[in-house]
Amino acid sequence: MFETVLIANRGEIALRVLRACRELGVRTAVVYSAADADSAAVRHADQAIRIGPASSRRSYLNAAAIVEAARQVGAQAVHPGYGFLSEDADFAEICADNGLTFIGPPPAVMAALADKSSARALMSRAGLPLSPGSVAPVPTAAAAAEIAEAVGYPVIVKAAAGGGGRGMTVVRTPGELRRAYTRTRAAAQAAFGDDRVYVERYLTEARHVEVQVLCDSHGNGVHLGTRDCSVQRRHQKLIEEAPAPALPAAVLDTIAETALRGALEVGFVGAGTLEFLVDAEEQFHFLEINCRIQVEHPVTEMVTGIDLVHEQLHIAAGVPLRWRQEEIRLRGVAVECRVNTEDPGRGFVPTPGRLDRFTPPGGPFTRVDTHASAGYVIGPWYDSLLAKVIVWAPDRELALNRLERALDEFDVAGPGMHTTIPFVRRVLDDAAFRKGRYTTGLVDRLLGVPGAAPAQRPTATPAPRPASAATPDVPNRRTR
């Protein structure tokens, strides 16, 4: 195991990684910007190194400053968290060139998978089903129109280098396509420095289902079941749950096994997530692979009892995978909601400011991952994620009731500040969501967006999941 790990991130994920390191006896160092000088991660780390001003480009995206900080503190490894440089193959290669272990896939693998078009081609060769559309980037609007005509409208134009819900445009009619194609290419160039795009059929009544995998550098791998992430605004997730509800066990097993096969085929190493769209006929289509820890990883931890950040660290240190597939057992249901400082009534616009009150919920099987406290200032420079509330229960109905109770207890307030808690309550009250029969169109339907898909029609009653060999008898029960 490493002696010292540098954490190249901020907010709740920096604190999450720091705690995992401390539990394994690993010293921690964090980098921070001027805006985060008083952050919880800075207070709790063994060492903290300021690397720049508030601007992400001059701090958390400054690869040279991060590597220099790692060298200063004598770190052997860098944990990138999520976002920022977590899926930057060039940064992973720079780490390797400076004798640092990047906690994630090898640079060459990451480079191939971070490019969405390349990932589609690799996964197609590995036998994973894709949504109808292009595999290679589409060079012209005329070529995009030909593909759209062949697969049928609506389609979605996506940035090949995109991520985090950015670089996507849904096109519902032929008349919209040329403008959408041009606009998406321009946005991709501005956001990612790469204007390549591809086109695929847009599934309007789809479920967003993903699979957590762990793969080591010795050719071993396991999947940890599924998560449903269909509750999204602007292609960014608001509520996640594990396992995915209201789908037959055989479908979930096939998706999970297919995902693991694909990850092993392309040489993936670390903790990764393969994302799929599941249509109304329960056919699934590969969407993308994320080469990092996910925001929603706690729901998988709660139903498996496996600490994913611990496993990341062991795998990066060269330890053979500590789990066999027959040892993975899912118990109960976990649900997570993201509490963002955003105003749902104004299109989820961020509402930064000072937290005058901040008292997160507690209680049985309730976990809150947050970096905030009363008096903390939410600035305008970074993501608006304030906290994640995660609950576990033996069944889904109790888990949803527990989440409602936890949100009722959550006391957060500040001048001009809004959060997504009221909107999450609306989702929890929705009849289709309570039955598990919802799609990625749920948020648009609740907001009254024109053209939003109706609630998903009922599907076959899911068969009970078979129990497999034992893992810890209870999920992570820690509360805070």
Side-chain angles (χ1 to χ4, degrees):
M1 182 52 70
F2 309 109
E3 292 182 6
T4 302
V5 168
L6 182 88
I7 302 167
N9 215 299
R10 64 172 303 278
E12 69 88 14
I13 190 59
L15 199 57
R16 170 72 183 90
V17 174
L18 187 154
R19 287 169 168 153
C21 288
R22 181 159 294 174
E23 290 163 1
L24 295 179
V26 176
R27 285 178 53 81
T28 57
V30 298
V31 296
Y32 68 94
S33 73
D36 286 330
D38 297 325
S39 68
V42 169
R43 292 197 306 271
H44 291 292
D46 295 302
Q47 292 177 271
I49 305 92
R50 177 171 166 169
I51 55 169
S55 166
S56 296
R57 194 164 298 281
R58 298 172 62 191
S59 54
Y60 297 109
L61 293 173
N62 188 339
I66 292 170
V67 169
E68 179 57 29
R71 295 177 66 178
Q72 286 180 20
V73 301
Q76 296 82 45
V78 175
H79 196 301
Y82 53 70
F84 295 128
L85 296 173
S86 62
E87 293 183 284
D88 190 310
D90 291 337
F91 178 61
E93 189 168 1
I94 292 169
C95 288
D97 290 344
N98 283 272
L100 297 165
T101 298
F102 177 85
I103 298 177
V109 173
M110 184 180 295
L113 296 178
D115 182 300
K116 309 304 181 187
S117 182
S118 170
R120 278 170 62 84
L122 286 171
M123 291 301 173
S124 178
R125 288 198 290 271
L128 274 67
L130 306 180
S131 297
S134 63
V135 175
V138 181
T140 65
E146 290 182 9
I147 293 168
E149 184 67 27
V151 303
Y153 287 88
V155 297
I156 184 167
V157 183
K158 292 185 176 181
R166 297 180 297 167
M168 305 181 191
T169 306
V170 176
V171 182
R172 301 188 182 279
T173 66
E176 303 170 14
L177 182 60
R178 180 174 293 275
R179 182 181 177 192
Y181 175 86
T182 303
R183 187 171 66 246
T184 305
R185 286 193 67 170
Q189 180 64 42
F192 311 113
D194 183 341
D195 70 349
R196 294 173 305 132
V197 298
Y198 63 98
V199 178
E200 66 183 22
R201 171 78 176 172
Y202 181 67
L203 303 177
T204 56
E205 291 189 50
R207 300 274 296 277
H208 189 138
V209 176
E210 62 187 30
V211 178
Q212 179 72 58
V213 298
L214 294 172
C215 302
D216 65 20
S217 56
H218 307 280
N220 305 305
V222 295
H223 70 75
L224 304 183
T226 60
R227 299 187 289 253
D228 192 298
C229 305
S230 301
V231 182
Q232 304 175 10
R233 55 97 172 92
R234 298 195 302 270
H235 304 290
Q236 294 186 325
K237 302 160 188 172
L238 286 174
I239 298 176
E240 303 97 349
E241 58 181 300
L247 286 170
V251 172
L252 296 181
D253 288 341
T254 300
I255 295 173
E257 291 161 5
T258 302
L260 178 58
R261 185 179 73 246
L264 291 173
E265 284 279 338
V266 300
F268 185 83
V269 175
T273 300
L274 287 88
E275 304 195 3
F276 298 85
L277 291 177
V278 182
D279 63 26
E281 284 71 46
E282 298 175 355
Q283 300 298 307
F284 61 95
H285 313 268
F286 172 75
L287 188 62
E288 64 182 19
I289 179 170
N290 291 296
C291 302
R292 53 171 168 78
I293 198 76
Q294 293 278 89
V295 178
E296 61 270 21
H297 75 273
V299 292
T300 296
E301 293 182 327
M302 297 285 266
V303 297
T304 62
I306 296 174
D307 188 309
L308 294 180
V309 182
H310 282 190
E311 298 307 315
Q312 281 189 299
L313 292 164
H314 286 298
I315 290 169
V319 177
L321 198 61
R322 302 187 305 160
W323 301 89
R324 294 174 298 177
Q325 191 62 59
E326 60 268 24
E327 295 175 323
I328 307 300
R329 185 168 186 173
L330 308 183
R331 294 181 180 276
V333 173
V335 186
E336 170 184 300
C337 76
R338 305 186 192 189
V339 178
N340 300 329
T341 51
E342 298 172 349
D343 185 355
R346 293 189 293 147
F348 294 93
V349 63
T351 58
R354 177 186 173 87
L355 292 172
D356 287 344
R357 301 199 313 270
F358 186 81
T359 306
F365 304 104
T366 303
R367 165 178 167 178
V368 180
D369 285 11
T370 185
H371 57 294
S373 58
Y376 182 75
V377 176
I378 308 295
W381 308 283
Y382 311 117
D383 186 87
S384 58
L385 179 64
L386 178 67
K388 303 181 310 196
V389 180
I390 311 102
V391 299
W392 179 92
D395 59 71
R396 186 171 184 267
E397 183 64 24
L398 182 54
L400 297 180
N401 291 344
R402 182 161 284 155
L403 182 58
E404 288 180 317
R405 185 270 302 162
L407 293 178
D408 286 342
E409 292 180 11
F410 208 143
D411 182 24
V412 53
M417 184 171 291
H418 296 261
T419 76
T420 48
I421 289 176
F423 188 80
V424 170
R425 287 199 186 100
R426 286 186 62 191
V427 174
L428 295 177
D429 286 340
D430 182 76
F433 179 81
R434 297 298 293 205
K435 295 175 183 177
R437 313 289 189 189
Y438 59 100
T439 72
T440 53
L442 172 62
V443 170
D444 283 350
R445 176 168 61 80
L446 291 178
L447 293 175
V449 174
Q456 187 180 30
R457 64 177 181 270
T459 56
T461 302
R465 291 189 62 87
S468 57
T471 54
D473 285 341
V474 294
N476 184 347
R477 300 189 183 193
R478 289 175 295 171
T479 60
R480 64 182 195 286

